[in-house]
Amino acid sequence: ETGVTQSPTHLIKTRGQQVTLRCSSQSGHNTVSWYQQALGQGPQFIFQYYREEENGRGNFPPRFSGLQFPNYSSELNVNALELDDSALYLCASSPGLALGRPHIQYFGAGTRLSVL
Amino acid sequence: AQSVTQLDSQVPVFEEAPVELRCNYSSSVSVYLFWYVQYPNQGLQLLLKYLSGSTLVKGINGFEAEFNKSQTSFHLRKPSVHISDTAEYFCAALIKAAGNKLTFGGGTRVLVKP
């Protein structure tokens, strides 16, 4: 149990729709990262938020966007869904520098998104 | 650019036999290295990590890994597997000076047979 919770667990959308996925970080963690895991592949880094600011982005188009809130919970928004967006979306939180272990990421169970 | 390669996509192994999962990384700068396990329909659980110090690191569930800088490898081993070790295993690297972005390998599926 990592203390990172994601919702919903499963979601079905149709092509062209928009989706919002949510993540609640582990207590005391001020950094959240989002990853996309396509079937049979390793996770791919989407972006990271640190203290409500985007702090790094992977090779994903602008229709993938995010937010981090003052309580460090986070959202991943995807606009204009495409069939290839079908994947498991993983959220990971990390402790801040003050806790001395900023590079350890703790993952949630993920949201499985199916785009039809 | 950093990349992580897991040389075996699937590894079948009998119960109580040893297993080794191979991982190589490419990076011109210092990295942290990790192994994660993913059970069916679940997220990723950290098995072990190499941050610095001793090149042999021990993790949970009897797993260990050895960091070899000259061969840019970080192979995972367990001397005796159980049925419950059936899962997908991911090697990941993080460049020390580039924030918290993890680069993952493609994964190795371990199937433990009775």
Side-chain angles (χ1 to χ4, degrees):
Chain A
E1 185 65 44
T2 64
V4 179
T5 57
Q6 293 186 242
S7 63
T9 54
H10 296 84
L11 202 53
I12 299 174
K13 291 286 189 178
T14 56
R15 195 169 45 183
Q17 285 188 310
Q18 179 266 343
V19 68
T20 297
L21 311 182
R22 295 178 174 83
C23 174
S24 177
S25 301
Q26 189 174 137
S27 178
H29 289 191
N30 58 15
T31 302
V32 65
S33 305
W34 286 90
Y35 294 83
Q36 180 196 66
Q37 185 180 15
L39 195 63
Q41 298 182 24
Q44 299 289 319
F45 176 74
I46 303 175
F47 46 56
Q48 181 182 94
Y49 279 81
Y50 171 67
R51 293 186 174 179
E52 304 177 55
E53 297 287 332
E54 188 176 291
N55 184 41
R57 188 177 184 91
N59 189 26
F60 281 81
R63 60 189 184 85
F64 285 78
S65 63
L67 282 173
Q68 187 181 31
F69 300 99
N71 66 355
Y72 301 137
S73 65
S74 177
E75 287 182 354
L76 164 64
N77 299 289
V78 187
N79 293 322
L81 284 167
E82 299 178 0
L83 297 179
D84 285 349
D85 296 333
S86 295
L88 179 68
Y89 289 85
L90 295 164
C91 166
S93 73
S94 312
L97 287 171
L99 294 177
R101 308 187 84 178
H103 301 294
I104 310 301
Q105 298 192 22
Y106 298 89
F107 284 81
T111 294
R112 186 163 299 282
L113 173 65
S114 298
V115 182
L116 306 178
Chain B
Q2 175 181 254
S3 68
V4 176
T5 302
Q6 293 183 242
L7 299 165
D8 306 294
S9 59
Q10 293 189 60
V11 174
V13 58
F14 286 104
E15 193 174 16
E16 298 183 7
V19 70
E20 177 180 81
L21 309 184
R22 297 179 292 170
C23 173
N24 286 87
Y25 67 94
S26 66
S27 176
S28 58
V29 297
S30 295
V31 297
Y32 296 126
L33 295 163
F34 305 84
W35 276 98
Y36 283 87
V37 60
Q38 186 175 37
Y39 298 104
N41 300 314
Q42 294 188 27
L44 301 176
Q45 180 182 0
L46 181 65
L47 272 179
L48 49 77
K49 59 192 179 292
Y50 173 77
L51 304 181
S52 64
S54 174
T55 57
L56 182 64
V57 293
K58 294 188 183 297
I60 62 171
N61 301 340
F63 283 93
E64 63 181 31
E66 186 157 17
F67 170 61
N68 188 319
K69 187 175 181 179
S70 62
Q71 297 186 7
T72 61
S73 67
F74 190 54
H75 301 334
L76 180 71
R77 301 184 184 94
K78 185 170 183 178
S80 175
V81 296
H82 303 291
I83 295 290
S84 60
D85 292 321
T86 294
E88 186 101 26
Y89 292 80
F90 292 96
C91 181
L94 187 154
I95 295 178
K96 290 182 180 181
N100 270 10
K101 170 189 171 183
L102 281 170
T103 299
F104 285 87
T108 298
R109 185 176 301 277
V110 173
L111 176 60
V112 181
K113 302 177 180 180

